[in-house]
């Protein structure tokens, strides 16, 4: 057990729950508070991407008179979001609320494994999930991937807790076993309605834990009888989340289609082979460094081949192979974070079986200071070299700091190896908390629709909201109402359907009908239109779907890359799909 926990007799525990709180509970509260801030603040700041818009629009369309909704890729997201819309209204923030809630829940779950991980290990695992940029962006994306990750984590928690309880005897132990069996099947039911991502995680669990699964199936299934059968709540959860609580039965078919969608993600040709790996390196540098160490530690030091740390290592390997086979599927990066965070947490708990000594704390503080010096001077060098290429002052300071780290590490490590290891882990963790929090905040709050970010593929331009607002102004001036204007759009985009959803008289089609006299028309940019009357127009950005080829190759590609990593500054030009909003000229003359 970790030094942060103590063993007490149940009769000695205070009756007041507040008196039972420990420092570890307080640390967990701070982690969850920080998680909630990163997941919930400004949820609607970035426009919904086309994929997000299609899912949100389907949930909204279900409640419209005569509307038919297509469940899409996530029946669970559809059911839960559609349940909120009549009470909370439809907005970008509400469309992302359900994933954000599950994103916070993912960070909570490792605390249920503190008997297995130890208090230190559980806190480290929760902290790594909280500061993970990929977990943050998944939790702020409308869809079912965050639900899938929560379901997978719930299965892992239930599985390990069931293993812990299976060795005990008595009625109380049987009740605990049944409780965690129920949690396992509830997670399975939730995952089967979430998204195709769930099946990748399920495959990793099945391969990594197959010896234990055989024991589980042999021991657990025989106990499923009577009113304690865990299948019953699982079936209820599956049917309820697939069918919007029996209001949308076609969602059952959508849930059944998820495995086929997952299989379609396998691609053995084309671009993007290493994109998920590069994204993991970009957004999860601490897990990259500590995860490799943790996998090596688990394989070399764990005596039992079926220990859960070794199984977690196999799960990591399976997911990495899956990332290579499903080219460009970025959500697999967030899937890899789950076992990596748990394994690093287990390694951290083993490392901190004893409290760090004064030497360990001193080394942690000194190393953190030197890492800060290296980082600051690296950033300064990236700034200065573009205007003063001969100034190598920052580079020399970095070199001195690196030399100081290596020399101190050698001499102190020979003297106090454990103290140096503990201090190094604390310093590197503290440094990457600062770094990854900033990267995650940038990605989720300001750059979620920037294709220069490796995570982003196709995004919605900020101009779409301005287009909708201007169209609303025209309608208000023309009809006195916000959404009564007649609109025809020859551009059929999920983003347009979502942001113009309140315009009841909008039509979508491939081409403008002959002799059409709509009060407003939306057409592709640079399209040849034959309009029946005089129209005025303005162009707006609709989609950001990549980067333009660089016309002038950079003479300092390494510095350009470094400036992008540190400051998100790039000379690359974003490729946009633009549209033109036309409105009848007589509306401007007579309106208002």
């Amino acid at each position: 057990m970790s030094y942060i926990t103590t063993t007490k007799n149940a009769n000695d525990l205070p009756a007041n729950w507040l008196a039972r709180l420990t420092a570890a509970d307080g640390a967990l509260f701070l982690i969850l508070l920080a998680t909630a801030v990163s997941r919930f603040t400004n949820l609607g700041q970035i426009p919904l991407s086309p994929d997000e818009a299609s899912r949100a629009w389907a949930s909204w369309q279900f409640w419209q008179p005569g509307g038919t909704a297509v469940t899409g890729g996530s029946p669970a997201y559809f059911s839960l979001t559609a349940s909120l819309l009549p009470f909370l209204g439809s907005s970008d923030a509400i469309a992302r609320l359900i994933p954000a809630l599950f994103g916070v829940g993912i960070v909570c779950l490792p605390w249920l494994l503190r008997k297995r991980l130890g208090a230190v290990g559980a806190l480290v695992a929760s902290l790594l999930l909280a500061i993970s940029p990929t977990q943050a962006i998944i939790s702020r994306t409308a869809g079912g991937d965050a639900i899938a990750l929560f379901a997978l984590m719930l299965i892992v928690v239930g599985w390990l807790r069931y293993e812990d309880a299976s060795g005990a005897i008595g009625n109380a132990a049987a009740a605990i076993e049944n409780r965690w069996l129920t949690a396992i099947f509830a997670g399975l039911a939730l995952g089967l309605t979430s998204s195709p991502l769930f099946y990748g995680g399920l495959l990793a669990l099945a391969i990594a834990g197959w010896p234990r699964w055989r024991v589980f199936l042999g021991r657990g299934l025989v106990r499923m009888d009577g009113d304690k059968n865990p299948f019953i709540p699982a079936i209820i959860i599956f049917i309820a989340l697939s069918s919007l609580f029996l209001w949308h039965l076609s969602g059952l078919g959508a849930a059944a289609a998820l495995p086929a969608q997952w299989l379609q993600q396998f691609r053995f040709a084309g671009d993007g082979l290493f994109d998920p790996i590069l994204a993991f390196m970009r957004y999860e540098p601490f897990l990259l460094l500590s995860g490799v160490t943790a996998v090596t530690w688990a394989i070399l030091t764990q005596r039992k081949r079926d220990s859960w740390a070794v199984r977690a290592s196999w799960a990591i390997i399976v997911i990495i192979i899956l990332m290579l086979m499903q080219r460009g599927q970025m959500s697999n990066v967030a899937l890899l974070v789950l076992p990596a965070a748990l394994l690093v947490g287990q390694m951290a708990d083993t490392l901190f079986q004893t409290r760090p000594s004064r030497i360990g704390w001193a080394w942690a503080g000194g190393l953190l200071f030197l890492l800060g010096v290296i980082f600051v001077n690296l950033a300064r060098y990236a700034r200065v070299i573009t205007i003063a290429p001969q100034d190598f002052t920052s580079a020399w300071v970095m070199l001195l700091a690196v030399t100081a780290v290596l020399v101190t590490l050698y001499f102190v490590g020979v003297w106090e190896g454990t103290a140096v290891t503990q201090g190094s882990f604390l310093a590197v963790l503290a440094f990457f908390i600062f770094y990854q929090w900033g990267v995650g905040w940038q990605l989720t709050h300001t750059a979620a629709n920037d294709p220069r970010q490796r995570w982003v593929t196709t995004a919605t331009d900020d101009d779409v909201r301005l287009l909708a607002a201007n169209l609303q102004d025209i309608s208000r001036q023309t009809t006195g109402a916000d959404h009564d204007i007649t609109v025809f759009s020859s551009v059929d985009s999920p983003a347009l359907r979502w942001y113009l959803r309140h315009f009841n008289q909008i039509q979508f089609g491939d081409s403008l009908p002959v002799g059409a006299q709509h009060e407003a028309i939306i057409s592709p940019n640079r399209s040849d239109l034959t309009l029946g009357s005089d129209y005025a127009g303005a162009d707006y950005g609709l989609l950001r779907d990549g980067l333009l080829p660089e016309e002038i190759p950079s003479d300092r590609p390494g510095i350009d890359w470094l400036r992008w990593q540190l400051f998100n500054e790039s000379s690359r030009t974003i490729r946009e799909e633009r549209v033109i909003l036309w409105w009848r000229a007589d509306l401007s003359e007579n309106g208002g």
Side-chain angles (χ1 to χ4, degrees):
M1 292 294 291
S2 170
Y3 65 83
I4 202 170
T5 59
T6 57
T7 303
K8 295 183 179 181
N9 189 295
N11 297 326
D12 298 332
L13 293 176
N16 185 0
W17 67 270
L18 189 61
R20 295 199 297 268
L21 294 180
T22 64
D25 296 317
L28 177 65
F29 173 78
L30 294 178
I31 292 173
L32 294 180
L33 181 62
T35 304
V37 170
S38 69
R39 272 40 166 190
F40 290 114
T41 54
N42 298 324
L43 261 179
Q45 182 170 338
I46 304 295
L48 298 185
S49 69
D51 287 341
E52 291 181 284
S54 64
R55 299 169 190 138
W57 185 82
S59 300
W60 175 84
Q61 181 69 8
F62 177 79
W63 298 107
Q64 306 313 304
T68 57
V70 179
T71 304
S74 177
Y77 170 81
F78 173 84
S79 297
L80 295 173
T81 301
S83 301
L84 295 180
L85 296 182
F87 305 100
L88 302 180
S90 61
S91 67
D92 291 359
I94 298 303
R96 292 170 172 150
L97 181 59
I98 291 299
L101 290 171
F102 278 97
V104 175
I106 292 171
V107 179
C108 296
L109 288 177
W111 189 243
L112 299 176
L113 295 175
R114 59 191 180 276
K115 291 185 179 179
R116 180 73 70 109
L117 297 177
V120 170
L123 287 175
V124 169
S126 292
L127 177 61
L128 295 179
L129 293 173
I131 65 173
S132 166
T134 56
Q135 290 291 323
I137 191 65
I138 285 286
S139 300
R140 293 173 63 92
T141 300
D145 287 345
I147 304 174
L149 295 176
F150 178 88
L152 288 168
M153 184 67 81
L154 182 60
I155 292 174
V156 171
V157 170
W159 181 12
L160 295 178
R161 292 298 299 267
Y162 174 80
E163 286 186 347
D164 292 340
S166 61
I169 58 175
N171 294 332
I176 294 175
E177 278 188 334
N178 189 270
R179 181 190 309 164
W180 292 113
L181 278 175
T182 303
I184 293 172
F185 284 101
L188 181 63
L190 179 63
L192 293 177
T193 64
S194 58
S195 79
L197 178 64
F198 176 77
Y199 288 89
L202 197 62
L203 176 66
L205 282 177
I207 295 176
W210 174 241
R212 290 288 187 174
W213 279 116
R214 288 188 299 175
V215 176
F216 163 75
L217 292 173
R219 176 181 174 85
L221 293 180
V222 297
R223 298 191 176 193
M224 301 179 189
D225 56 353
D227 58 352
K228 296 182 180 180
N229 192 326
F231 272 130
I232 296 176
I235 293 173
I236 294 174
I237 291 173
F238 177 80
I239 294 176
L241 293 183
S242 295
S243 62
L244 187 55
F245 309 99
L246 300 180
W247 284 4
H248 186 59
L249 292 177
S250 62
L252 293 170
L258 291 179
Q261 296 177 24
W262 178 68
L263 290 174
Q264 290 174 357
Q265 294 175 355
F266 284 88
R267 295 190 299 115
F268 301 98
D271 299 329
L273 176 61
F274 296 107
D275 282 352
I277 301 294
L278 294 175
F280 186 80
M281 296 171 63
R282 167 70 176 96
Y283 298 114
E284 308 290 349
F286 181 78
L287 280 179
L288 177 65
L289 296 174
S290 60
V292 172
T293 305
V295 169
T296 305
W297 163 81
I299 294 177
L300 295 181
T301 65
Q302 301 298 298
R303 296 182 179 179
K304 296 182 179 179
R305 293 184 177 180
D306 63 344
S307 69
W308 93 265
V310 175
R311 284 179 274 159
S313 302
W314 279 111
I316 291 173
I317 295 173
V318 171
I319 295 173
I320 291 175
I321 296 174
L322 186 65
M323 292 166 65
L324 296 175
M325 297 177 69
Q326 293 183 330
R327 295 169 180 252
Q329 197 64 33
M330 290 298 180
S331 56
N332 286 328
V333 179
L335 182 63
L336 180 61
V337 170
L338 298 185
L342 293 177
L343 184 58
V344 172
Q346 179 67 81
M347 182 183 70
D349 189 75
T350 303
L351 178 62
F352 289 94
Q353 289 289 332
T354 58
R355 293 178 181 271
S357 63
R358 293 181 180 180
I359 296 176
W361 285 113
W363 170 244
L367 179 58
L368 181 59
F369 172 76
L370 292 174
L371 289 175
V373 170
I374 294 171
F375 182 78
V376 169
N377 282 276
L378 180 64
R380 184 178 299 169
Y381 177 75
R383 286 289 193 195
V384 171
I385 193 173
T386 57
I387 57 177
Q390 298 80 15
D391 187 354
F392 292 100
T393 304
S394 299
W396 283 114
V397 174
M398 280 192 297
L399 181 60
L400 290 175
V402 171
T403 303
V405 169
L406 296 178
V407 171
T408 309
L409 182 63
Y410 174 78
F411 285 104
V412 180
V414 174
W415 181 27
E416 285 284 350
T418 302
V420 167
T421 304
Q422 291 177 331
S424 298
F425 182 88
L426 290 173
V428 174
L429 176 60
F431 174 79
F432 279 108
I433 288 174
F434 164 78
Y435 176 77
Q436 290 192 195
W437 180 268
V439 171
W441 191 273
Q442 171 74 17
L443 176 63
T444 56
H445 287 71
T446 62
N449 63 342
D450 188 346
R452 292 173 298 182
Q453 293 283 344
R454 187 170 291 278
W455 182 270
V456 181
T457 53
T458 301
T460 301
D461 195 281
D462 296 330
D463 284 357
V464 172
R465 288 173 172 168
L466 181 59
L467 184 152
N470 289 345
L471 197 56
Q472 182 175 319
D473 289 339
I474 295 172
S475 178
R476 187 181 300 116
Q477 294 176 13
T478 305
T479 66
D482 288 344
H483 306 105
D484 280 354
I485 194 173
T486 58
V487 184
F488 182 88
S489 175
S490 59
V491 179
D492 193 354
S493 167
L496 280 179
R497 285 186 176 269
W498 171 252
Y499 286 103
L500 302 181
R501 62 191 179 279
H502 296 301
F503 289 87
N504 298 321
Q505 301 186 63
I506 188 170
Q507 298 177 4
F508 291 89
D510 295 333
S511 60
L512 184 66
V514 178
Q517 294 293 323
H518 294 83
E519 294 163 314
I521 296 172
I522 300 174
S523 70
N525 194 18
R526 298 179 181 177
S527 62
D528 296 329
L529 289 179
T530 302
L531 302 177
S533 60
D534 292 334
Y535 281 80
D539 72 319
Y540 300 86
L542 175 61
L543 299 179
R544 300 176 174 182
D545 57 357
L547 302 176
L548 293 175
E550 291 188 71
E551 299 178 359
I552 302 176
S554 173
D555 58 345
R556 297 180 184 272
I559 298 299
D560 290 345
W561 176 85
L562 185 60
R563 289 171 63 87
W564 172 248
Q565 302 300 316
L566 296 176
F567 312 118
N568 285 289
E569 295 179 356
S570 174
S571 59
R572 299 295 303 273
T573 303
I574 298 174
R575 185 177 61 205
E576 290 185 339
E577 177 184 340
R578 302 187 69 84
V579 297
I580 301 177
L581 171 62
W582 305 90
W583 63 92
R584 288 212 319 258
D586 61 298
L587 301 182
S588 300
E589 298 173 359
N590 302 328

